[in-house]
Amino acid sequence: MGFFERYLTVWVALCIVGGIVLGKVAPGVAQTLDGMAIYVDAAPVVSIPIALCLFFMMYPIMVKIDFGEVLKAGRAIKPVGITLFINWVIKPFTMYAIASVFLGTLFLGLIGPDAVDHVKMPLGTDLSVGDSYGAGKVVMVDSVKMLEVPLWRSYLAGCILLGIAPCTAMVLVWGFLAKGNDGHTLVMVAINSLTMLVLYGVFGGFLLGVGKLPVPWQALLLSIGVYVALPLIAGFFSRKWLIASKGETWFKEKFLHVLTPVTIAALLATLVLLFSFKGETILQNPLTILWIAIPLFIQTVVIFALGYAVSKVMGLTYENAAPTAMIGASNHFEVAIATSTMLYGLSSGAALATVVGVLIEVPLMLGLVKFCVRTQNWFGHGPTSLTSDAVDAPVENSIGERS
């Protein structure tokens, strides 16, 4: 694990402090940057500075993926099938249920039953001030039409966007540290990236609608296009061109090495801006992060336990069981942050909830890695590549990228 990845929780914590201080000392900076946006019907749709940050958060992840490995997935039906089932049939609904119970019932009195959040107007809607939309109402905020929604529902939206975003980045590190099947992890990274193009919007729209939250379908599809499809396409073609012109050794040892800190740097820049907006809320109620973190913590542990148990029942070797469980438990927080920012705004409770996901993920997943290593004797053992002759060389190179 590289220097940035190893201390990610520390960097996130520093960004929280830095963002809060920035919001106090120079409150106009973040607002000016967020105001540099593309507007539709007097409502901000895409913040240009944030869009650039979020693109550079995603591209380095996508360019590392060798989609040729997807073709080998058919040789490992059980681990791939379990991962897809948990990611798309179980995980989105457990996240919705757990977050609803805690944020909408158990912690509602602590969050504030009357507390509200102002989020972006759904793209493509023609609503007047005073109109109702889901659980929200259209209001004017600083001469801009916004949707006023219960604060807990805004937090719920962020949790939903995390729950429907299977990890395609840090899970490479978790699988490696757990001494799992790196070939399986690489294949699932590619498959998750492809399935997200279709299922992220479908599940996101459905669950946000069930939660009486704004479902800006046009913005949701635009978000998938900008933050998943565009980096995916750019990564695919630039990878292909660079390997053809410079060679695979140069690509892996030089180009990817330069890109390693880019994702983290772009993520941290976004977090500073986000917390400069939400600093006042956090200072007024410093336990806000805790209320959001508890359901996210429970969700991660539950999904990990389910994946680990099902892997045991299905007779998977430890090398396949460990990454299978961790792929489900880990979230693609980059996509979740990007989507929540585009759909609801940088200053929204939804965006804050996705950042809390970043804050707890690293220490929690490291704890689960240690649990896997200590319990590997519960399983049989097999090869550490997808098949006996499959991806040994690419795996060695990918490990080099992450160390």
Side-chain angles (χ1 to χ4, degrees):
M1 186 186 294
F3 179 75
F4 277 104
E5 292 90 344
R6 184 179 297 115
Y7 298 106
L8 181 57
T9 299
V10 176
W11 309 140
V12 171
L14 290 175
C15 284
I16 292 176
V17 176
I20 292 173
V21 171
L22 177 63
K24 282 288 188 181
V25 175
V29 174
Q31 293 176 358
T32 300
L33 289 173
D34 195 43
M36 297 169 59
I38 299 172
Y39 284 77
V40 176
D41 296 330
V45 176
V46 178
S47 169
I48 296 172
I50 298 303
L52 290 173
C53 282
L54 296 176
F55 175 82
F56 284 110
M57 217 162 52
M58 294 302 305
Y59 172 76
I61 296 169
M62 298 302 188
V63 79
K64 291 180 180 180
I65 299 172
D66 180 4
F67 289 99
E69 295 300 328
V70 177
L71 300 176
K72 300 174 182 176
R75 306 181 192 178
I77 296 295
K78 282 199 284 189
V80 171
I82 292 171
T83 302
L84 289 175
F85 180 79
I86 291 176
N87 276 344
W88 297 109
V89 180
I90 303 296
K91 183 179 178 181
F93 301 100
T94 56
M95 182 74 268
Y96 178 86
I98 293 170
S100 295
V101 168
F102 278 88
L103 299 176
T105 303
L106 299 179
F107 295 160
L108 184 59
L110 300 169
I111 294 172
D114 299 322
V116 297
D117 191 22
H118 295 118
V119 303
K120 289 182 179 180
M121 288 286 293
L123 179 63
T125 57
D126 184 19
L127 300 173
S128 302
V129 174
D131 288 350
S132 296
Y133 187 91
K137 181 175 68 175
V138 180
V139 298
M140 291 294 292
V141 179
D142 296 330
S143 302
V144 176
K145 284 197 293 186
M146 303 286 283
L147 196 63
E148 186 177 85
V149 299
L151 182 58
W152 77 268
R153 290 189 183 275
S154 189
Y155 294 154
L156 173 63
C159 293
I160 289 172
L161 294 173
L162 277 169
I164 60 173
C167 188
T168 66
M170 289 298 289
V171 72
L172 292 168
V173 178
W174 311 141
F176 169 55
L177 293 178
K179 303 176 182 178
N181 181 339
D182 292 279
H184 169 55
T185 308
L186 283 167
V187 166
M188 287 314 306
V189 162
I191 292 177
N192 280 339
S193 298
L194 294 173
T195 54
M196 282 180 66
L197 288 173
V198 177
L199 298 181
Y200 191 76
V202 173
F203 280 90
F206 173 73
L207 290 174
L208 291 173
V210 171
K212 298 182 180 180
L213 292 155
V215 186
W217 280 104
Q218 289 177 308
L220 186 57
L221 294 175
L222 181 61
S223 178
I224 296 168
V226 171
Y227 300 122
V228 181
L230 183 59
L232 189 68
I233 294 169
F236 174 80
F237 284 106
S238 60
R239 177 191 177 95
K240 190 173 182 179
W241 177 75
L242 286 169
I243 290 177
S245 59
K246 295 286 188 176
E248 190 166 356
T249 300
W250 179 90
F251 175 79
K252 291 182 179 294
E253 296 182 2
K254 300 292 185 181
F255 183 71
L256 292 185
H257 178 72
V258 172
L259 281 184
T260 298
V262 171
T263 292
I264 303 298
L267 170 64
L268 296 181
T270 305
L271 297 189
V272 170
L273 290 175
L274 190 152
F275 277 100
S276 69
F277 271 111
K278 302 305 292 184
E280 197 64 36
T281 300
I282 295 170
L283 291 175
Q284 291 175 357
N285 187 4
L287 293 177
T288 295
I289 290 179
L290 178 62
W291 309 143
I292 301 171
I294 289 175
L296 293 178
F297 175 89
I298 294 172
Q299 160 78 355
T300 300
V301 173
V302 166
I303 293 300
F304 170 83
L306 178 63
Y308 213 47
V310 172
S311 297
K312 173 67 174 176
V313 171
M314 295 293 289
L316 268 61
T317 63
Y318 169 76
E319 288 74 17
N320 279 337
T324 295
M326 286 185 290
I327 288 170
S330 185
N331 298 312
H332 200 326
F333 49 75
E334 294 92 347
V335 165
I337 291 173
T339 307
S340 64
T341 300
M342 176 173 278
L343 298 189
Y344 301 115
L346 184 64
S347 61
S348 66
L352 177 62
T354 59
V355 174
V356 175
V358 184
L359 187 63
I360 71 168
E361 172 148 331
V362 174
L364 179 54
M365 292 305 297
L366 285 174
L368 293 177
V369 165
K370 291 180 181 178
F371 176 83
C372 285
V373 172
R374 291 173 182 172
T375 59
Q376 60 181 294
N377 61 332
W378 294 1
F379 298 82
H381 287 271
T384 55
S385 60
L386 186 63
T387 63
S388 59
D389 60 348
V391 292
D392 290 336
V395 167
E396 289 176 4
N397 288 328
S398 68
I399 290 172
E401 294 163 21
R402 307 192 297 273
S403 58

